[in-house]
Amino acid sequence: MSRVPLIAGNWKMHKTVGEAEALIQALLPRVASLESVEIAVCPPFTALAPMVDSARGSRVAVFAQNMHEADHGAFTGEVSAAMLLDLGVSGVILGHSERRAFFGETDAALARKLPAALTAGLTPILCVGETEAQRLAGETEAHVRAQLESDFAAVEPERYAEVVVAYEPIWAIGTGRVATPAQAQEAVAFVRSVLAERSAEAERIRVLYGGSVSGENAVELLALADVDGALVGGASLTAESFAAICAAARQ
Ligand code: PEP
């Protein structure tokens, strides 16, 4: 089963509009010829509209970093799927570990956000992954299984392949401590096996690895049998390193 790799750059709370513009203008020519790879950048909300304008007609899609599950309402500080679509945004990161840890994002909310994103026509990147303590306690699989089972609870089995899952061990995010290829392959294959229990579409689901991916380690990680791309934080903040990771995903 061949799945088109996706490399997504999570800019987190970095880049003013001017800085984002400089980054995208440096990135676009570097990735213009990478035809067998899907590429997305995920700027902060303030830079979404200008990045959609700047990336129009290019190989680079623009995703948001979060959304609310309701269409509209009294939810101060939140943004709906309809608002993202209105800007020309094509997808959204959901359940990033930083949102789970610092902003109270729950699996119950994600079980509503995932179908809301799909209904709206956005491609969700659902993040799952264990803490270091959970890994050391041998609880990685139980934790990742619980996240997947909760978060996919309201997704129709025939729509599973429209979701992208990012396996991100929390101890590897922003730390420079990348998972070993064996750890990444084992966890990503486990994600697919859990989804296969619920949907016949599991072989078509793209499962990314995230956690300290760099231009140096990307070739090895992206060559793994079940790894269909990467969710990239720090290394997506410069055009050179992000483009190097995109090039490493070329099939
Ligand atoms: C992330 O934020 O999802 C991430 C993987 O960050 P980093 O690449 O910096 O570890």
Side-chain angles (χ1 to χ4, degrees):
M1 172 72 56
S2 102
R3 297 174 290 263
V4 177
L6 171 66
I7 306 296
N10 176 12
W11 294 359
K12 310 195 187 192
M13 197 173 74
H14 294 287
K15 308 291 178 187
T16 61
V17 171
E19 291 164 349
E21 196 60 52
L23 175 53
I24 198 105
Q25 294 305 340
L27 179 65
L28 292 177
R30 287 177 162 85
V31 298
S33 62
L34 298 179
E35 285 181 1
S36 50
V37 186
E38 279 181 28
I39 301 167
V41 294
C42 314
F45 284 129
T46 46
L48 285 173
M51 291 308 98
V52 168
D53 278 345
S54 298
R56 190 167 284 119
S58 79
R59 304 203 43 72
V60 176
V62 178
F63 282 32
Q65 299 175 17
N66 181 34
M67 60 164 237
H68 195 274
E69 66 268 27
D71 289 342
H72 52 79
F75 301 109
T76 302
E78 292 290 322
V79 167
S80 71
M83 292 168 183
L84 297 176
L85 276 181
D86 187 42
L87 295 182
V89 166
S90 1
V92 60
I93 299 173
L94 294 176
H96 191 281
S97 64
E98 288 154 14
R99 294 220 56 85
R100 293 179 188 258
F102 305 141
F103 303 102
E105 179 94 288
T106 62
D107 286 314
L110 290 163
R112 297 188 293 271
K113 290 185 181 196
L114 212 47
L118 290 174
T119 301
L122 293 171
T123 298
I125 301 177
L126 174 73
C127 302
V128 297
E130 81 288 359
T131 62
E132 182 160 38
Q134 286 167 328
R135 176 162 282 268
L136 292 173
E139 295 167 358
T140 296
E141 292 195 349
H143 178 69
V144 169
R145 171 182 288 280
Q147 288 182 316
L148 291 169
E149 290 183 346
S150 298
D151 301 351
F152 273 81
V155 177
E156 296 156 10
E158 56 276 13
R159 298 204 72 175
Y160 271 40
E162 295 170 55
V163 181
V164 177
V165 178
Y167 166 68
E168 299 207 303
I170 295 169
W171 46 271
I173 297 179
T175 59
R177 286 178 55 203
V178 67
T180 65
Q183 287 171 326
Q185 167 59 29
E186 183 181 39
V188 165
F190 176 74
V191 166
R192 197 181 310 287
S193 74
V194 171
L195 299 174
E197 293 169 13
R198 306 171 66 98
S199 167
E201 296 294 305
E203 277 303 307
R204 293 179 48 228
I205 299 174
R206 288 181 294 182
V207 187
L208 316 183
Y209 168 78
S212 296
V213 176
S214 67
E216 289 72 47
N217 60 33
V219 170
E220 192 173 28
L221 289 164
L222 295 172
L224 296 168
D226 277 281
V227 172
D228 303 316
L231 182 55
V232 184
S236 71
L237 296 176
T238 61
E240 294 77 7
S241 51
F242 190 60
I245 295 167
C246 295
R250 194 172 14 197
Q251 285 176 321

